[in-house]
Amino acid sequence: VEVPLERFAGQVVEVELAALKTTGTGRLLFGDPTLQVPAVEAPASPKARAAVLVILDGVERRDLPPWSDIETPHLPSLSELARESSVFNAHRVPSTLVSAVVASLITGRSPREHRLTDTGAKLPEAVPTLGGFAHHASIRGAMFSAVPTSFAPFGFARHWDKFEAYPPNTGALAAQPFVDAGVWLTERQDNEKRPAILAVIHARGGHPP
């Protein structure tokens, strides 16, 4: 027996199987009833033309969506992203040092491997980074940092097509890395035949570093 349920689409319904009558000479058995839904092929996702990694420094997690206990109307884009994306609630940073955390994000290695284990350490030349991977894959890459611990003296400027630093004493606004990254991404998309682009933004959040 097949019973179409199209008219109940979008509703929560209860399906009950019952024998309304019998001839008295036998028994009725319902054998493993199943609900069959027509297979719908998922639409193919287009290849990403650009990837942007944003590292926000100096901000408490409880102040950001989706972890904030209060509404955050001043962060509409971040709120929408949190609603539509995967959130890793169990994530823990690999170090208490900002430079070590950023190094792990752009190398995929632990502090023991990339050796940024103290405040004066520099990322070794031999450790590959996202900038290097992008360069070898013919992907245009740029990094914009407003946090001194990820400036060039600590080894973070290597292999990028563009590296821009914003020292605190220049008076640049906290949003300047985002503005410049947006300009750079737009120019690359308009001018480059190969649209693959990578931008890394290390921005200061709640307070200057």
Side-chain angles (χ1 to χ4, degrees), residues 4 10-11 15 17 54 58 76 80 109 112-113 141 153 161 185 196-197 207:
Q11 304 178 45
V15 178
L17 303 179
V54 177
E80 181 180 357
R109 301 191 178 192
R112 179 176 294 181
E113 293 176 291
D161 293 294
L185 286 165
I197 313 168
H207 55 78

Side-chain angles (χ1 to χ4, degrees), residues 55-209:
I55 308 166
L56 193 57
D57 195 86
V59 176
E60 294 291 339
R61 192 171 77 160
R62 63 176 178 268
D63 296 330
L64 300 174
W67 302 285
S68 177
D69 295 331
I70 59 175
E71 292 295 326
T72 52
H74 55 293
L75 298 172
S77 298
L78 192 58
S79 299
E80 181 180 357
L81 181 64
R83 287 193 301 269
E84 299 182 356
S85 305
S86 297
V87 177
F88 299 91
N89 288 314
H91 171 71
R92 295 294 181 270
V93 295
S95 172
T96 57
L97 298 176
V98 173
S99 58
V101 174
V102 177
S104 290
L105 285 171
I106 67 170
T107 65
R109 301 191 178 192
S110 67
R112 179 176 294 181
E113 293 176 291
H114 59 58
R115 300 180 186 177
L116 269 67
T117 55
D118 61 71
T119 54
K122 180 180 179 180
L123 191 63
E125 291 278 348
V127 178
T129 66
L130 281 178
F133 291 133
H135 177 77
H136 292 304
S138 298
I139 296 173
R140 301 300 299 271
M143 182 170 178
F144 304 84
S145 175
V147 182
T149 50
S150 62
F151 283 0
F154 295 96
F156 287 89
R158 292 186 287 111
H159 300 144
W160 299 104
D161 293 294
K162 179 181 180 64
F163 183 89
E164 196 72 36
Y166 306 84
N169 58 0
T170 61
L173 298 176
Q176 196 61 47
F178 294 95
V179 174
D180 292 349
V183 172
W184 183 83
L185 286 165
T186 302
E187 291 176 348
R188 300 289 85 70
Q189 287 185 333
D190 292 342
N191 300 329
E192 293 292 333
K193 294 182 180 180
R194 296 187 300 271
I197 313 168
L198 168 66
V200 176
I201 304 171
H202 188 194
R204 67 177 189 265
H207 55 78

